[in-house]
Amino acid sequence: MNPLKQLASQTAVYGMSSVLGRFLNYLLVPLFTYTFAPAEYGVVAEFYAYMGFLAVLLVFGLETGYFRFRSGGERPAPVVFATVLRVLVLANLAFFILAFAFRQPVADLLRHPAHPEYIWWCAAILALDSIGAAAFARLRAENRAGRFAVVKLIEIAINIGLNLFFILGCRAAFDADPQSFLGRLWDPAIGIGYVFIANLAASAIKLLMLAPQFNGGLRGFDRPLFARLIRYSLPMVVIGMAGIVNEMLDRAALKYLLPYDDATNMAQLGIYSACYKLSILMTLFIQAFRYAGEPFFFAYAKRADAGRVYAIVLNWFVIFCVFIFLLVTLFLDVFQYFVGAAYREGLSVVPVLLLANLLLGIYVNLSIWYKLTDRTLMGAWVSLLGAAITVIMLITLIPTWGYAGAAWAHLACYSAMVVVSYVLGRRYYPVPYDLKRVFGYLALGLALFGASRLLVGVVGWQAPLVGGGLLVLFLVLVFFADGRALVRRR
C-alpha cells in the first residue's frame, strides 16, 4: 500500500476511537457545565491535570521503548512485551497501594480534606490505564487498529453512559424522591465525584476487554533487555513530563497563581478549562495522528525516500490543522453553546489555544529526529526548555492577565519548541520540509481569521455567511496548491 495512504487509513481508524470517540466523551462537557457551577467543574479540571502528570510518569516511556526494541528484532516481540508489562504491573500496583494508604494527607495537601476518596479513585484510574497502555501499544505495533478502536469506543461509551446515569438519572430521581431506588444511588456529598466513579468503572471494564492482549505477557522477562529499555525510555518520561507541564500545568497552577480567594480561583479554573475544551478538535486530531504516526515513522525510517515522505506528511498535517483552526474560530458563535452560559466569558482564549495546539502538532512531526536516531536525551532537553518557558510565563502572566496568560504561555512554549526542534533536526536527521508551504498555510489561516473579525466585527456582515465563505475559500486554495497534485499521483 502507498505509505501515505497507509498512514492516512491508520490515522482514520485511530481517529474513530480517539477523535470521534473522545469527541463523544467531550460532549459530557455541556452536561457538566450546564449542571455544575464553575467552581465545582474546576475540581474535575484540577484532578485531571494532576492525573496527566502521573499518567506519563507511570508508563515510564515504555510505549515508545516497546516500539523501538520490537521493531529492532534484537529480541522476540513477546519477550519485549512481557518485559514492559511486568514493569508496568509492579510499579502501578505499588503506586496504588501508596495512594490508598496516604489518601487523607494528600487530600489535605491539595485543599480537599473532605474528599480523600478522590485520591484513591484517581490512583486506581491511573494504575488501570497505565497497565492498559501496554496492551494498546501491542495492538498498535501489530497494526490492529480495528480492535484498538473498538475497545476505546466501548470504554468511552461506558464512561458517557455512567455519567448520564448518575448525573441525569440518579440526581433527578433524588430531587424527586430521595428514597426511590435511583435516588438512593445519588449522594449529594459526592457530587462532582461521580465523574471519577464513572471513569474508574470504564477503565476497569476496558482492562478486562484487553485481557487477550496480555496473553503470555507475564512470561519471558529479560533482564538485559530491561536495562536497555529503561535507558532508552526514561528520557521519554522526562519528555513526557515536560510535555504535560506544557499542556496541563496551567490548570494545576491557576488555583495557586490567580490573585483571588480559593472559591473564585476555582471558578476561574472551571471557566478556563471549559473553554479549553473548545480546542478539542485540534487536540484530538493530533492525538490520532500520534497513535498512527509513531509506528509509521519507525517502520518507514529505513526507506530511501523516508525524508521526502515525512515532508509531505507535515505539509498535509498543517493543512488539516489550519482547517480545524478555521472551522472553530470562524464558527465560534456556534461552538460557544458547547459550554454553559456561565463559562462563555472565557471564549477569547480559544483562538490562542487552537494556534498553540497547532504548533504542538508541528512539533510532534518534527520530533522524529531524536526518536529515529536514539537521541531521546536531547529530545528531553528540548521539552525541558519548553517546560521552563511555560513555568516562567505562567508565573509572570497569570497574576496580571488571569487565565488569558495561561493561553499565551502555551503559544510561547510551543513556538520555541518548534524552532529548536527544527534546528536540531536539520543537523541530526535532515528532512526536506517545505517551509514556504508550511508557513504559507499558517499565514493564510491567520489572515482568514483576521478577515472574519474585520468583516463581522467592523463591517457588520453575518458571521455564518462570512465563516462559510472563508472556509470554502481556504479549501479552494488548498486544492489548487496541493490537491491537484495529490489527485494526479493517485
Side-chain angles (χ1 to χ4, degrees):
M1 177 185 281
N2 180 291
L4 293 178
K5 289 182 180 179
Q6 180 183 358
L7 178 60
S9 64
Q10 293 285 309
T11 301
V13 176
Y14 287 122
M16 182 177 66
S17 60
S18 58
V19 176
L20 174 61
R22 291 287 296 277
F23 178 75
L24 292 174
N25 202 12
Y26 276 119
L27 289 180
L28 290 171
V29 174
L31 174 65
F32 299 153
T33 58
Y34 281 86
T35 302
F36 298 106
E40 293 177 285
Y41 182 65
V43 174
V44 173
E46 179 189 3
F47 271 88
Y48 276 104
Y50 300 145
M51 290 167 69
F53 286 93
L54 291 169
V56 172
L57 181 63
L58 293 170
V59 176
F60 301 101
L62 290 173
E63 285 179 297
T64 303
Y66 171 67
F67 293 132
R68 162 66 180 83
F69 289 95
R70 186 184 191 279
S71 63
E74 301 164 20
R75 293 288 192 280
V79 173
V80 179
F81 179 73
T83 304
V84 168
L85 181 60
R86 186 174 295 188
V87 173
L88 291 178
V89 169
L90 293 176
N92 282 276
L93 181 60
F95 164 75
F96 174 73
I97 292 171
L98 287 172
F100 186 82
F102 294 97
R103 60 192 183 278
Q104 187 62 59
V106 174
D108 294 340
L109 180 65
L110 298 179
R111 304 180 189 174
H112 296 286
H115 293 286
E117 69 276 10
Y118 291 175
I119 305 303
W120 76 263
W121 289 346
C122 291
I125 293 169
L126 285 163
L128 293 171
D129 288 351
S130 298
I131 295 170
F136 280 128
R138 187 174 192 175
L139 289 173
R140 291 164 61 194
E142 295 172 355
N143 292 320
R144 300 182 63 187
R147 176 162 176 75
F148 181 103
V150 168
V151 174
K152 282 283 188 181
L153 287 173
I154 292 176
E155 176 195 15
I156 290 165
I158 293 170
N159 189 31
I160 292 174
L162 288 175
N163 272 286
L164 293 174
F165 173 74
F166 286 127
I167 296 174
L168 292 184
C170 297
R171 180 175 177 172
F174 178 86
D175 291 338
D177 181 8
Q179 298 304 314
S180 65
F181 174 74
L182 290 181
R184 291 181 179 182
L185 297 178
W186 178 264
D187 183 354
I190 296 176
I192 198 72
Y194 282 101
V195 175
F196 303 130
I197 294 175
N199 192 339
L200 177 57
S203 294
I205 295 172
K206 172 191 67 180
L207 202 65
L208 290 175
M209 290 188 292
L210 290 170
Q213 275 61 59
F214 295 121
N215 185 33
L218 296 178
R219 297 191 303 271
F221 182 82
D222 188 316
R223 289 183 181 275
L225 174 62
F226 167 71
R228 296 185 62 193
L229 267 168
I230 291 298
R231 282 197 300 270
Y232 178 88
S233 299
L234 283 183
M236 303 302 295
V237 177
V238 177
I239 294 170
M241 289 296 288
I244 292 296
V245 167
N246 300 333
E247 184 179 348
M248 303 192 76
L249 182 62
D250 53 351
R251 274 147 288 174
L254 276 169
K255 172 181 175 180
Y256 304 98
L257 293 178
L258 286 169
Y260 313 113
D261 58 86
D262 281 351
T264 304
N265 288 356
M266 290 300 294
Q268 293 286 291
L269 170 59
I271 292 169
Y272 175 74
S273 299
C275 289
Y276 195 102
K277 300 297 186 183
L278 290 174
S279 65
I280 62 168
L281 290 179
M282 186 80 72
T283 305
L284 296 179
F285 173 71
I286 294 170
Q287 182 184 22
F289 180 85
R290 271 176 163 166
Y291 279 135
E294 192 168 57
F296 171 82
F297 288 137
F298 278 110
Y300 206 81
K302 296 179 182 178
R303 305 283 187 92
D305 63 339
R308 181 185 65 82
V309 171
Y310 296 159
I312 295 173
V313 168
L314 176 62
N315 188 54
W316 279 100
F317 177 87
V318 170
I319 289 172
F320 277 100
C321 284
V322 172
F323 173 80
I324 294 172
F325 172 81
L326 291 173
L327 178 66
V328 177
T329 56
L330 296 182
F331 296 95
L332 193 55
D333 288 345
V334 176
F335 280 93
Q336 68 173 333
Y337 294 105
F338 184 73
V339 300
Y343 297 79
R344 294 173 197 161
E345 66 180 67
L347 290 174
S348 60
V349 302
V350 174
V352 180
L353 291 169
L354 283 166
L355 187 58
N357 282 310
L358 191 157
L359 293 174
L360 170 61
I362 293 176
Y363 172 74
V364 169
N365 277 266
L366 298 179
S367 65
I368 60 172
W369 66 268
Y370 68 77
K371 295 179 181 178
L372 298 180
T373 61
D374 289 354
R375 288 184 169 87
T376 54
L377 187 58
M378 292 188 68
W381 282 110
V382 177
S383 295
L384 287 172
L385 170 65
I389 293 172
T390 296
V391 172
I392 293 170
M393 296 290 284
L394 290 176
I395 293 173
T396 303
L397 298 181
I398 288 179
T400 52
W401 291 13
Y403 51 69
W408 284 101
H410 278 288
L411 186 61
C413 163
Y414 293 138
S415 298
M417 290 175 65
V418 165
V419 172
V420 173
S421 189
Y422 174 77
V423 171
L424 292 174
R426 291 283 294 174
R427 177 176 180 181
Y428 294 108
Y429 193 89
V431 174
Y433 295 117
D434 191 339
L435 295 186
K436 290 183 179 179
R437 271 182 164 23
V438 170
F439 282 107
Y441 281 120
L442 290 174
L444 175 61
L446 290 174
L448 294 176
F449 169 67
S452 72
R453 289 295 182 93
L454 177 65
L455 294 174
V456 175
V458 179
V459 180
W461 289 6
Q462 293 295 314
L465 293 177
V466 171
L470 293 176
L471 198 60
V472 170
L473 175 60
F474 173 75
L475 293 175
V476 170
L477 293 174
V478 168
F479 176 77
F480 283 104
D482 283 287
R484 288 186 300 176
L486 184 65
V487 171
R488 283 197 296 267
R489 279 197 293 269
R490 291 182 59 186

